[in-house]
C-alpha cells in the first residue's frame, strides 16, 4: 500500500493531539503556583495510567489523547517555571503580593499578582501580564493608578500591599 495511506505512528496508541499553546511570557510562578502545577502533573500522570490500563475495553481513545496532551502542557510549564519568592514585607506591588485598592465609586477590591497558570480572576488571583496587574505593579499605598479597560479608564487608589496568603 502507498505510504500516503498509512498511519505514520502505528504503535496502537491514540492519535496525538496538537499541543496546547504556550504563553510567550516568562513563566513566573509563586511557590503555591508551582505546587499546583506539580499536583496537576501527578493527577494527570495517574489519569493517563488509568486510561492506558483500560484502553483495551474502551473504544474511544479521545480521553487518553486529551490527558496526554494536558500532561505535556503541564510538564512544559513546570520545566519553564521561574520560581519567584514573594517578599515578606512588601512596600510596593510586586509579583506574589496582594494589593487592596478602591475605585472612584469607593468600591474596595483585593488582587493577588500570580503566574498565568495560577490565575483565577473570580477569586482575585490575577496574572502578572494582565492589564490590571501591569497598571498596579510598583505602586505604593497612596498611589493612584489608571487601569485602562475596554470600557474606559478607571482610577484605582492603592490602599495596602501585603504578602500573598498561601
Amino acid at each position: 500500500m502507498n505510504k500516503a495511506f498509512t498511519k505514520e505512528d502505528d504503535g496502537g496508541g491514540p492519535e496525538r493531539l496538537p499541543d496546547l499553546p504556550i504563553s510567550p511570557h516568562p513563566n513566573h510562578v509563586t511557590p503555591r503556583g508551582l505546587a499546583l502545577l506539580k499536583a496537576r502533573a501527578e493527577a494527570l500522570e495517574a489519569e493517563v495510567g488509568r486510561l492506558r490500563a483500560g484502553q483495551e475495553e474502551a473504544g474511544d481513545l479521545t480521553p487518553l489523547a486529551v490527558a496526554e496532551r494536558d500532561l505535556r502542557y503541564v510538564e512544559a510549564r513546570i520545566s519553564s517555571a521561574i520560581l519567584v519568592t514573594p517578599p515578606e514585607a512588601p512596600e510596593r506591588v510586586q509579583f506574589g503580593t496582594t494589593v487592596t485598592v478602591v475605585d472612584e465609586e469607593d468600591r474596595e477590591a483585593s488582587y493577588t499578582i500570580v503566574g498565568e497558570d495560577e490565575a483565577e480572576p473570580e477569586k482575585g488571583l490575577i496574572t502578572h501580564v494582565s492589564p490590571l496587574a501591569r497598571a498596579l505593579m510598583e505602586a505604593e499605598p497612596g498611589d493612584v493608578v489608571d487601569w485602562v479597560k475596554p470600557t474606559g479608564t478607571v482610577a484605582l487608589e492603592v490602599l495596602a500591599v501585603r504578602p500573598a496568603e498561601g
Side-chain angles (χ1 to χ4, degrees), residues 11-24:
E15 193 168 318
R16 182 179 166 118
L17 294 177
D19 286 338
L20 294 171
I22 300 286
S23 171

Side-chain angles (χ1 to χ4, degrees), residues 75-125:
E75 287 174 339
R77 297 300 284 172
I78 291 170
S79 70
S80 68
I82 302 165
L83 182 62
V84 178
T85 304
E88 290 183 24
E91 295 179 11
R92 62 180 37 105
V93 180
Q94 300 171 48
F95 185 89
T97 60
T98 298
V99 56
T100 302
V101 297
V102 62
D103 68 13
E104 299 146 332
E105 297 175 11
D106 287 329
R107 290 182 299 219
E108 281 190 28
S110 291
Y111 303 100
T112 302
I113 315 296
V114 297
E116 291 177 276
D117 296 307
E118 189 178 359
E120 292 183 68
E122 66 281 356
K123 294 182 178 179
L125 300 171

Side-chain angles (χ1 to χ4, degrees), residues 11 18 27 29 47 56-57 66 73 90 96 130 156 165:
N27 186 17
V29 296
E47 179 71 0
E56 283 83 35
E57 63 260 8
V66 169
Y73 172 84
S130 70
L156 299 173
E165 291 120 27

Side-chain angles (χ1 to χ4, degrees), residues 12 22 28 62 64 105 116 121 124 126 135 150 163-164:
I22 300 286
H28 294 120
T62 303
L64 176 57
E105 297 175 11
E116 291 177 276
I126 60 171

